[in-house]
Every structure is written in structure tokens, then in C-alpha cells.
Amino acid sequence: ASPREEAPGRERNLPNTQSVLAKKRKDTGHLLIMRLSAMGDVAMTVPVIAALRRAYPELRISILTRRGFRPFFRDIPDLSFVDFDPTGRHKGFFGLVRLTGEIRAAGIDTIADLHDVLRTKVVRTFARLTGIRTAVIDKGRKEKREMTRRAGKRLVPLAPMTERYRHTIRRLGFDFDMPREPQTKPCTVPEPIQETVGPKEGRWIGIAPFAKHRGKIYPIPLTDELIGLLNETYDRVFIFGGGEHEKSFAEGMERRHKGVVSVIGRMSMSQEMDLIGNLDAIVTMDSATMHIASLLGIPVVSVWGATHPFAGFYGYGQHPDNAVQADLPCRPCSVFGDRPCISGDYRCLSSIRPQEIADRVAKAVAAVTPPTNPTTHSSWPVSCYCSRYDNLFMRRKGGGLFT
């Protein structure tokens, strides 16, 4: 089938996969998968690429992304990387020309563009001119605009990004299915944590209340209260985050509460993943930490403000009941949480009480096995994508993949 850029007028809903899937390829050739950023979006590619690798063990697969994201792929064998350097050798138009030359020199013959931004459009165009076959993700931008507009919101579950990634790669002829749950491996407690608190004993909980945009950040006073509640119930509470402001707050919590440990700035990305892999559950926002924990099979209680799980960015394999959100007519107002609040008070977040989140964590920790009938168990009004369950697709009448 022709890539989307060659047929801009077609309907943007994902088509029936069987109608576009080329003849299944053999384990030959060299596939490049492009996803430059952001951290959470790159993390969501991991279960897709892992499933592809299991289906095609001999296929050469390269990943074009930033070097700092390499730890996400550590458990997938035989991957190669093209490190994207936007401030150095790949800066500007001529840097992208140089990047295209590197791609050609690597012997790549197919490209799956899972990003579809200006930089990848340029690389994709140059690659096609040299005979490299390409396919590009359909992000469902139109449907997301309908979901986030102020009036007449169309709030229905859209295809998960993991499914959009898989669909893009399948259009290149690679026939594979996603597993029903993350394929995880045991994680060792990282050395910096063992030196601080010793080996794991009792229940460990994580919390990552921060994000890039205000519309996805849990208010600091409520976070303070929530950490206190978690500290009263569990043996250790680990705070994850990024910036200096977050680090200062987390260290303050560490001084106030005996069982609280801040890991901000103290470990590498790979070590943080090892620690997350030893948690009994973690509280996150709509952020990269949610996706990292999901890769590791850890229950995530996610708090949603300006954004919404229906946009397709819910944690892979997470139970729908673990999403905490306020029922407000203004939600969602943004796909990424970057729009200012129309009422100015971000009530979508401030109206969520810490006790509600703590109660949801208790249920997640207590849960041993997923329900046998997720359709009746789920509190969402319509069936949603969740990798643990059989309802991986939402289909329209007529057989096409639901948007």
C-alpha cells in the first residue's frame, strides 16, 4: 500500500489492517524505525519493537532516536542504533542530508516513521528518492482535535499509540501481533538504593507527580498530602522527577518522612528502570514514567488532568480502573497538556483528592490477577485497548479499525 503522504486525501481513520498488509516478508532486509522524541512516546515503541523482534528474529532492525533513550530497549536483542544529534552533526537542513547519507550507508531498505514531524518528513522524502520504501504513522490528528475542542467534544477511545506504531510497521509487510501483556524480566535493586535503604523489604511505592506542562502536574500541596498518606501505609515511597525544583521538593519530603526516598538526580536512567521494576505500584501523571513502568509490568495509578486516556496515550497493559480523573465538561482540553486552563485554576487536577489516589493505589497493590471479564470489570463506558485482555481492537460496523 502507498504511504499516507502519497494519498493525503484519504480518510485518516486507521483502515482495516488486512486490506493494506503486504505479503509477509522474510527475515531479510534492514528496517529503520524513527521516533526522535519525546521520552514517553519513545518508550511506547518498545513493546511494539519487541513483538516485531520475536516474529522476525533474523531481521536487521535499527532505531533512530536520541542516545539517552537507549536503555528503554535494553531487553530487546540484536538492535542497532542511529543516534540522532539535533545540536551537532544532524543540526539543520544539511544535518538531515547527512543523516540520510548515514542511513543509506547502513544498508537500510525500509523506514517506518513513527513520528511524522518536519525532521522525519525531510529524512523520509530523501530516503524515498533513493529507493528506500517508507511508511508513516497516522496520528489521528483530526480526531484528537475533535476530542479537545471547547464545544461539541467527541469523547470516544482512539486507537492506542502502540497500535498505531504496529499498524505503520505492518504496512511495510511485517505481520506480527502484540502480546497480551508486557514481556518483563526481573530487575535487580540498583546499587545506590541498596546502599541507602538495603535490599527490598515490605511494600515499595513510587510517585512521579511531575510533568512538562502544568496541565499534567498534580498540585504541590496535594502531592505533599498524598506522599504523607503513602508513607503511613507502605514501607518505602520513592519520588521520581527531573528538574531542580522537583529535586528540592523531593528532598524536603525525604527530610520530613522517614520512609521517603528521593531518587531525582541520583541514578542513571537504567538504574531508575531497575528501581521501578522492584516497586509494587507507582503513581504517575500522564508522563514518561507511566510508560516506563508499564514496560516493566508495574501497576500504575495514573492521574489525568487536561489530557485524557482516550487520546491513545494510556500505559501499555494497564488496567483502565487505575486511571484517576475528574468528570468535567472542559476535559480534555489538550492532547499534551500544554494549553492554559480556560478557568485559570486547573480544577481538573485540584479536584482530585489525595485520599482517592491512595485508595486506588491500595486496590492496585492488593490485586493479584486481572479480572476474567474485563468488559464488565472496567469502569470506562466503552471497551478500550488494554494489552492484558482480548479486546485489543475496537471495531466499527464494517470491520475497519476504530479511530
Side-chain angles (χ1 to χ4, degrees):
S2 299
R4 177 166 65 81
E5 68 272 18
E6 296 178 358
R10 74 163 176 84
E11 184 184 7
R12 290 195 173 188
N13 297 342
L14 294 183
N16 188 326
T17 304
Q18 296 302 321
S19 67
V20 297
L21 183 62
K23 183 178 180 181
K24 182 173 179 179
R25 299 171 62 98
K26 298 179 180 180
D27 286 3
T28 59
H30 192 171
L31 169 67
L32 177 70
I33 297 174
M34 299 194 296
R35 182 74 214 198
L36 309 181
S37 62
M39 184 182 295
D41 298 284
V42 175
M44 282 189 285
T45 69
V46 174
V48 182
I49 297 171
L52 175 67
R53 168 54 74 212
R54 285 189 292 272
Y56 294 87
E58 302 300 323
L59 176 68
R60 294 183 65 191
I61 303 175
S62 292
I63 313 296
L64 173 59
T65 192
R66 297 171 189 258
R67 186 177 184 86
F69 298 149
R70 281 194 181 195
F72 295 157
F73 305 92
R74 62 187 186 178
D75 292 331
I76 305 177
D78 302 323
L79 292 182
S80 300
F81 292 89
V82 180
D83 294 327
F84 180 60
D85 183 11
T87 60
R89 72 181 193 275
H90 301 145
K91 182 178 180 180
F93 177 80
F94 291 105
L96 296 177
V97 174
R98 183 178 297 111
L99 174 59
T100 306
E102 294 173 11
I103 291 171
R104 290 186 61 196
I108 288 162
D109 56 19
T110 50
I111 294 178
D113 182 0
L114 306 185
H115 204 166
D116 194 26
V117 293
L118 181 59
R119 285 166 168 161
T120 62
K121 289 178 191 288
V122 172
V123 171
R124 197 172 72 230
T125 300
F126 284 145
R128 286 172 53 202
L129 292 175
T130 62
I132 296 176
R133 189 179 179 205
T134 68
V136 60
I137 187 172
D138 183 340
K139 291 184 174 180
R141 290 186 174 100
K142 177 178 180 292
E143 294 79 17
K144 290 171 183 175
R145 286 194 297 269
E146 293 172 348
M147 175 180 288
T148 57
R149 61 195 177 194
R150 287 196 181 184
K153 295 181 185 294
R154 186 170 181 262
L155 190 56
V156 296
L158 306 184
M161 290 304 295
T162 48
E163 182 56 29
R164 292 183 185 275
Y165 292 160
R166 183 180 76 106
H167 179 80
T168 305
I169 297 171
R170 290 190 75 190
R171 290 175 59 204
L172 292 169
F174 299 101
D175 188 9
F176 66 102
D177 293 315
M178 298 285 288
R180 298 178 64 188
E181 58 185 7
Q183 308 294 295
T184 60
K185 295 181 179 180
C187 295
T188 303
V189 177
E191 187 173 329
I193 294 300
Q194 292 202 44
E195 293 174 352
T196 303
V197 303
K200 182 178 180 180
E201 294 181 355
R203 297 287 195 181
W204 285 9
I205 302 297
I207 180 170
F210 313 110
K212 181 178 181 180
H213 302 295
R214 186 178 174 185
K216 299 197 295 185
I217 299 175
Y218 198 50
I220 290 295
L222 299 180
T223 298
D224 189 328
E225 182 181 346
L226 174 59
I227 290 174
L229 291 172
L230 296 175
N231 185 60
E232 292 173 359
T233 308
Y234 303 101
D235 298 276
R236 292 289 178 183
V237 178
F238 296 92
I239 305 177
F240 297 82
E244 285 301 316
H245 177 71
E246 292 92 339
K247 182 179 179 182
S248 176
F249 168 79
E251 290 175 351
M253 292 290 98
E254 190 177 44
R255 289 190 293 268
R256 286 176 52 191
H257 302 287
K258 182 179 179 180
V260 172
V261 179
S262 170
V263 302
I264 300 175
R266 297 180 178 177
M267 294 188 294
S268 67
M269 173 71 73
S270 187
Q271 288 174 325
E272 284 199 15
M273 291 176 66
D274 285 336
L275 175 57
I276 292 172
N278 280 279
L279 300 178
D280 294 279
I282 186 170
V283 179
T284 76
M285 311 307 291
D286 174 15
S287 65
T289 308
M290 172 180 66
H291 299 294
I292 294 170
S294 298
L295 297 182
L296 300 168
I298 303 304
V300 178
V301 174
S302 52
V303 182
W304 298 75
T307 60
H308 198 286
F310 280 7
F313 297 98
Y314 196 57
Y316 177 72
Q318 295 297 328
H319 197 289
D321 286 355
N322 287 347
V324 183
Q325 50 191 329
D327 185 11
L328 296 173
C330 57
R331 290 189 60 243
C333 64
S334 171
V335 174
F336 306 110
D338 52 346
R339 294 180 184 175
C341 176
I342 59 174
S343 58
D345 58 3
Y346 291 91
R347 65 190 64 177
C348 56
L349 291 161
S350 61
S351 63
I352 300 174
R353 307 315 303 166
Q355 187 63 58
E356 179 184 358
I357 300 173
D359 291 343
R360 204 72 63 92
V361 172
K363 290 181 180 179
V365 171
V368 177
T369 57
T372 56
N373 190 341
T375 303
T376 57
H377 180 90
S378 172
S379 61
W380 287 10
V382 293
S383 61
C384 65
Y385 175 90
C386 185
S387 69
R388 292 184 180 180
Y389 308 136
D390 290 330
N391 55 326
L392 296 182
F393 304 106
M394 296 161 288
R395 295 192 178 277
R396 294 176 172 179
K397 184 177 180 181
L401 184 63
F402 194 53
T403 59

